[in-house]
Amino acid sequence: MSCGRSREDLEGWRAMSKEERGLTDKDHFDSGAGGGIFVGKGTNIQDGCVVKSVENHTIIGNGVTVGHCAVINSAIVEDNCMVGMGAVLNPGSKIETLGFVAAGAVIGRDVVVKSGELWVGNPARKMRDLTQTEKEQLYFQADEYVKKGIGQSHSMELGSNLGATLVEGAKTV
């Protein structure tokens, strides 16, 4: 599931009260006693995003695309969803499978975006249902980001984003 944790770990954590979480996972810098952050396979989270779990778990399913600078806090995003750039998911919110949260939308506390719906605005509200073509695009989008990531995995090597002459020059100085 996440960082070497199992589904059983997640279920055990869910079963605890907030007080038990606070005793089990005491953090001297944050007494929120929130939860873990779980991200599914084939999910991509773009630059500048903030994903946190202050009040409860944050669970992001498989094949999800999270746009640049989005904020997800103690929310659930099911499989094959799109969270647009700069969108905000407040604690307790849930985006069901194939849900679409538009760029800049702010999903309120405990609000549920139903499967196949498009939500926009601040505060966010349902605009309409997605078409079948738009739903299929959500799968395509996630797959393309995974391909892009695999194609750029070599850039994780130290200095690979610098020209070869700069790297060689730095070694001799």
Side-chain angles (χ1 to χ4, degrees):
M1 279 294 301
S2 171
C3 299
R5 296 192 178 165
S6 67
R7 172 71 62 186
E8 292 78 26
D9 290 339
L10 171 61
E11 296 306 323
W13 190 265
R14 280 184 175 159
M16 289 183 194
S17 68
K18 187 171 182 174
E19 292 75 26
E20 289 172 315
R21 289 181 201 151
L23 294 172
T24 303
D25 193 26
K26 192 68 174 168
D27 182 341
H28 299 287
F29 301 107
D30 176 21
S31 60
I37 297 172
F38 300 86
V39 179
K41 294 180 182 177
T43 286
N44 64 90
I45 299 175
Q46 299 301 309
D47 299 337
C49 290
V50 177
V51 179
K52 56 187 182 173
S53 57
V54 174
E55 295 182 19
N56 207 334
H57 290 300
T58 292
I59 301 171
I60 303 173
N62 299 322
V64 173
T65 298
V66 179
H68 301 273
C69 298
V71 176
I72 301 174
N73 179 14
S74 301
I76 297 172
V77 181
E78 293 184 348
D79 296 343
N80 306 108
C81 293
M82 167 72 86
V83 177
M85 294 187 295
V88 176
L89 306 184
N90 281 298
S93 61
K94 181 178 182 180
I95 314 305
E96 293 182 351
T97 300
L98 297 174
F100 193 126
V101 176
V106 178
I107 304 296
R109 178 179 287 276
D110 301 321
V111 170
V112 176
V113 173
K114 298 284 187 191
S115 180
E117 292 182 347
L118 169 62
W119 282 54
V120 302
N122 180 10
R125 66 202 177 286
K126 179 184 175 183
M127 180 177 202
R128 63 179 172 83
D129 291 327
L130 297 175
T131 66
Q132 185 59 38
T133 301
E134 290 168 331
K135 290 176 186 177
E136 291 168 5
Q137 185 68 25
L138 294 176
Y139 292 103
F140 174 78
Q141 184 87 20
D143 289 343
E144 289 301 306
Y145 271 115
V146 169
K147 288 179 192 173
K148 178 70 86 177
I150 291 169
Q152 295 178 354
S153 63
H154 67 281
S155 68
M156 297 304 290
E157 297 172 20
L158 182 61
S160 67
N161 59 342
L162 302 174
T165 56
L166 289 174
V167 172
E168 288 303 315
K171 290 179 183 175
T172 60
V173 173

